[in-house]
Amino acid sequence: MKKQALIILFGAIALASPSFAQHILKSDFLYQDEIHTSHYMYIRSEAKTVESDWETYLSKLGKVDNSKGEITVDKIKSGGLSSYLDKVVSIVVDNKDFVVINTLFLDENGKSLDDAQFDHEALDKLFYDFYDLAYFNEEVRMAETDLAWAEDLKDVAEKNKGKAERSLEANIRAQERLGKKIDKSPEELSKVIQKKDAVFQELLKSEVEEETEELQEEVEKQEKKLVKIKDKKERDADKLQKREEEFPELTDKLFAAREALEKAVQVVESKKLVLQELKAK
């Protein structure tokens, strides 16, 4: 029962304070060789991004100027933090693992305001609202990065699909080309055989020695052609068989690549929806 009560109490406290995990801290801070009071908070994010967001956020207080990382706000708008407030100086420090937003609230004499001079509810709101905004922006940026990662995977899937399509197309073209060669082989063989037979018949009739030698050479030449054509036909037939055997595997790869792309596109669309919903909040 005690454990349950503690859980309920913790939940109630967390609901009552949206920035429960964050604190506004205060310490001495050296600025222009003088000790001032700095109100500050820690944020886990990229310093450059936090500084840009903080600079924009501070424009609600007055005119903002950012010079070499020192953000100043003057011409303070009426109401809000303190009637004594004349100038705000903020310095964002990058500690690699986290960012520190140091903020000095100065009066017209350049002195830090005392605690009693603040509207502490407005001060808390200033920091806590930015804390929520910074982490919302960070979440949006992370969602954008996540989307980019998913789009990269989709691009890879598209390339794989294109590669699979080209491989299958090349296989089909090779089968067509080899098929034509094989179909043409009997005709070529027939012509060579006829030529060889004609030369052989002349050889049988020849009685002149020189003429006989020439005819024998021609017969041998035609015989070599026959062997060459037959060998080529066998090689083409082997190649065709190999292409035919590869075809089902290439088809499976194409179907798998198409399916992978469809899934990658689905993931990208889902990530886009997440990002749209985040930005709509």
Side-chain angles (χ1 to χ4, degrees), residues 11-280:
I13 293 172
L15 288 172
S17 176
S19 299
F20 179 74
Q22 177 58 35
H23 300 90
I24 301 172
L25 307 173
K26 186 174 70 172
S27 71
D28 290 342
F29 188 85
L30 186 62
Y31 174 67
Q32 293 185 349
D33 295 328
E34 290 187 13
I35 294 294
H36 288 272
T37 299
S38 171
H39 290 77
Y40 60 100
M41 67 193 310
Y42 303 126
I43 296 181
R44 287 188 178 276
S45 186
E46 183 186 45
K48 184 178 180 181
T49 302
V50 171
E51 183 177 328
S52 176
D53 290 344
W54 181 238
E55 180 182 348
T56 301
Y57 181 77
L58 287 179
S59 63
K60 66 194 289 185
L61 298 180
K63 183 181 178 182
V64 179
D65 178 65
N66 189 345
S67 178
K68 297 181 180 178
E70 182 178 307
I71 304 171
T72 60
V73 186
D74 55 17
K75 296 183 180 180
I76 302 297
K77 298 175 183 178
S78 59
L81 292 172
S82 173
S83 59
Y84 299 94
L85 183 61
D86 181 70
K87 183 179 181 181
V88 177
V89 177
S90 189
I91 299 171
V92 177
V93 179
D94 183 7
N95 281 316
K96 293 184 179 180
D97 293 331
F98 62 93
V99 176
V100 186
I101 300 177
N102 291 288
T103 309
L104 316 180
F105 299 96
L106 309 176
D107 61 19
E108 61 183 4
N109 297 315
K111 301 298 182 181
S112 296
L113 300 185
D114 295 330
D115 278 349
Q117 295 176 310
F118 281 107
D119 179 334
H120 286 278
E121 185 177 342
L123 181 65
D124 289 350
K125 182 175 174 56
L126 176 73
F127 279 95
Y128 287 146
D129 282 358
F130 178 73
Y131 181 83
D132 292 339
L133 174 65
Y135 273 92
F136 168 75
N137 289 342
E138 183 66 15
E139 191 172 26
V140 169
R141 281 187 288 271
M142 287 188 287
E144 289 172 341
T145 301
D146 192 30
L147 172 59
W149 172 79
E151 287 177 333
D152 287 343
L153 292 182
K154 187 197 74 170
D155 291 342
V156 171
E158 286 180 338
K159 289 179 181 178
N160 289 339
K161 173 179 167 288
K163 184 178 178 181
E165 286 176 341
R166 289 191 296 274
S167 295
L168 189 61
E169 288 172 2
N171 179 279
I172 292 171
R173 287 195 297 270
Q175 287 193 53
E176 291 174 348
R177 184 174 62 254
L178 291 167
K180 289 178 181 179
K181 286 184 178 180
I182 292 171
D183 289 343
K184 190 178 178 181
S185 295
E187 183 181 343
E188 290 179 341
L189 279 170
S190 178
K191 288 181 179 179
V192 174
I193 290 172
Q194 289 176 5
K195 174 74 173 177
K196 176 185 173 184
D197 184 60
V199 174
F200 184 70
Q201 293 301 325
E202 289 183 24
L203 178 61
L204 292 177
K205 297 175 183 177
S206 175
E207 296 180 358
V208 180
E209 185 176 347
E210 291 181 0
E211 200 174 274
T212 299
E213 289 179 359
E214 289 179 2
L215 290 171
Q216 284 178 334
E217 289 176 1
E218 185 63 27
V219 169
E220 291 175 0
K221 181 179 177 182
Q222 297 304 318
E223 183 64 31
K224 287 179 181 179
K225 280 186 179 182
L226 283 173
V227 173
K228 187 176 180 181
I229 291 172
K230 288 178 181 178
D231 289 345
K232 187 175 183 301
K233 181 181 178 181
E234 288 178 0
R235 288 196 300 271
D236 288 340
D238 289 341
K239 288 179 182 179
L240 179 57
Q241 183 180 354
K242 184 178 179 182
R243 297 295 187 275
E244 289 173 343
E245 290 172 353
E246 288 175 348
F247 186 79
E249 182 181 352
L250 292 173
T251 303
D252 290 342
K253 285 183 178 180
L254 176 57
F255 289 154
R258 285 178 176 173
E259 184 178 355
L261 177 58
E262 288 176 3
K263 291 177 180 178
V265 169
Q266 182 177 335
V267 170
V268 167
E269 294 305 315
S270 178
K271 298 289 186 183
K272 285 181 178 178
L273 184 60
V274 169
L275 186 58
Q276 288 171 3
E277 290 174 348
L278 275 175
K279 289 182 175 180

